[in-house]
Amino acid sequence: MSASEAAEPHVPYEQFPTALRFSVRDETRNRLAGLLLILFVPAWYLLMDAMASGETLDFKLYATGKVLHVDGGHLTLITAGLNSVTMIAGFVVFDAVRKALAFDRRLVFAGYRQSTLIGAKTLAITAVATAIALYTALAILFFWRPTAGGWFAVLAGFTVIALTYGALGLLLGVLVKRDLEGFFLIIMGAMMDTFLQNPLGNPLANKPILEWFPSFGPMQFAAGGAFGDTALWGHLALGLGWAAGFVVVGLAIFRVRTRNRTHGRSHDRTPQGHGDDNHTVLPTA
């Protein structure tokens, strides 16, 4: 479908399916991200498990104050999964949003509501982030078999951190000027954020300073469910708070950057009686 065809519907409920289809398409056609998800995640698990398997680590649950003595390999698999999810989700959304920004401006100029585009992008990010988290949580089962409740806790933690970094990718996609800047911030942020949560080789892993990192809540929830049979819902909500904060700021900037500043001036210049003859031609997507 071309973008000129996409501009035809003017009723919000008619625009939304088309806008959602464009958003999902943009976020799922990144072949490099697909290869990273399919090949990198199992390889990363294999490497991390080989490095840490058999070691006993102390991990603190802040909600209860309890220190858990856990298998280092299993805990490292959780942090490796969080690390994979953050980078891939952030990369996918950043790349898609940045490339589609000019196209989104033209859709707004052609009559699409910004609220419709914002809703479509939010739903697309949620769907893609959830799919990435689900695959990463399923892949962990080849290396470790937690209880059913423990696995669902890991899945929930992965999903929330995927939403968080998907929202960060959206924010950077509408904010930074060049691709390199966005990729650097996502990769470095994800590495520092997730690996500092693991006490393996990090003396700060059980210190309060980590409460200020986006992955703190999801990590606490995943570890609490997998090792302590504890559902730390408040910490999962903390992770969702980070996701909500990033997405609100990102969508506010998106709204500003796709605002139709020329619509009023163009309308004033339209000769009387010939307004219906002027059509915006959009590029083929």
Side-chain angles (χ1 to χ4, degrees):
M1 179 190 290
S2 69
S4 56
E5 293 175 283
E8 291 178 3
H10 294 288
V11 181
Y13 65 81
E14 294 177 348
Q15 293 177 347
F16 187 81
T18 303
L20 179 61
R21 189 160 56 249
F22 271 87
S23 295
V24 172
R25 180 209 61 182
D26 290 340
E27 293 178 21
T28 55
R29 66 179 180 180
N30 190 318
R31 295 180 181 177
L32 176 58
L35 287 175
L36 286 174
L37 183 64
I38 295 171
L39 301 178
F40 172 75
V41 171
W44 194 231
Y45 278 150
L46 181 63
L47 178 61
M48 292 295 103
D49 186 55
M51 290 175 59
S53 182
E55 289 197 42
T56 300
L57 300 176
D58 295 331
F59 185 83
K60 184 177 180 179
L61 288 180
Y62 281 82
T64 63
K66 184 179 179 180
V67 176
L68 304 177
H69 305 287
V70 303
D71 184 289
H74 297 164
L75 184 66
T76 301
L77 285 173
I78 295 178
T79 56
L82 290 171
N83 181 250
S84 301
V85 166
T86 54
M87 288 194 292
I88 295 172
F91 171 57
V92 165
V93 177
F94 169 77
D95 186 61
V97 170
R98 181 152 181 78
K99 289 180 177 177
L101 191 58
F103 182 72
D104 290 332
R105 289 195 195 100
R106 295 200 175 196
L107 286 178
V108 172
F109 186 81
Y112 268 65
R113 295 184 178 215
Q114 287 178 310
S115 58
T116 299
L117 297 178
I118 286 172
K121 287 190 180 298
T122 303
L123 185 57
I125 290 171
T126 301
V128 171
T130 301
I132 292 171
L134 178 60
Y135 175 85
T136 308
L138 288 172
I140 209 172
L141 295 176
F142 288 97
F143 304 91
W144 169 40
R145 293 296 177 91
T147 64
W151 182 81
F152 279 109
V154 171
L155 173 61
F158 285 2
T159 302
V160 170
I161 199 63
L163 291 172
T164 300
Y165 273 77
L168 178 61
L170 168 67
L171 172 58
L172 294 175
V174 297
L175 183 62
V176 302
K177 295 182 178 179
R178 290 180 289 272
D179 289 344
L180 183 60
E181 297 170 359
F183 294 148
F184 176 81
L185 290 172
I186 290 169
I187 292 171
M188 295 305 297
M191 290 180 61
M192 292 178 61
D193 184 17
T194 55
F195 277 109
L196 286 177
Q197 304 290 340
N198 192 335
L200 180 66
N202 174 30
L204 296 178
N206 289 317
K207 301 296 182 180
I209 189 174
L210 292 185
E211 295 181 44
W212 298 98
F213 286 74
S215 67
F216 172 77
M219 180 65 181
Q220 288 281 310
F221 187 86
F227 304 119
D229 297 322
T230 304
L232 305 177
W233 296 109
H235 286 75
L236 195 66
L238 179 64
L240 288 173
W242 277 95
F246 284 142
V247 80
V248 166
V249 176
L251 290 175
I253 297 174
F254 174 82
R255 190 177 185 88
V256 172
R257 296 201 63 183
T258 57
R259 188 170 54 198
N260 187 355
R261 299 181 180 88
T262 62
H263 179 71
R265 294 195 299 269
S266 299
H267 179 74
D268 292 341
R269 288 196 299 267
T270 301
Q272 188 173 0
H274 297 280
D276 293 337
D277 295 332
N278 295 323
H279 300 281
T280 301
V281 179
L282 301 178
T284 300

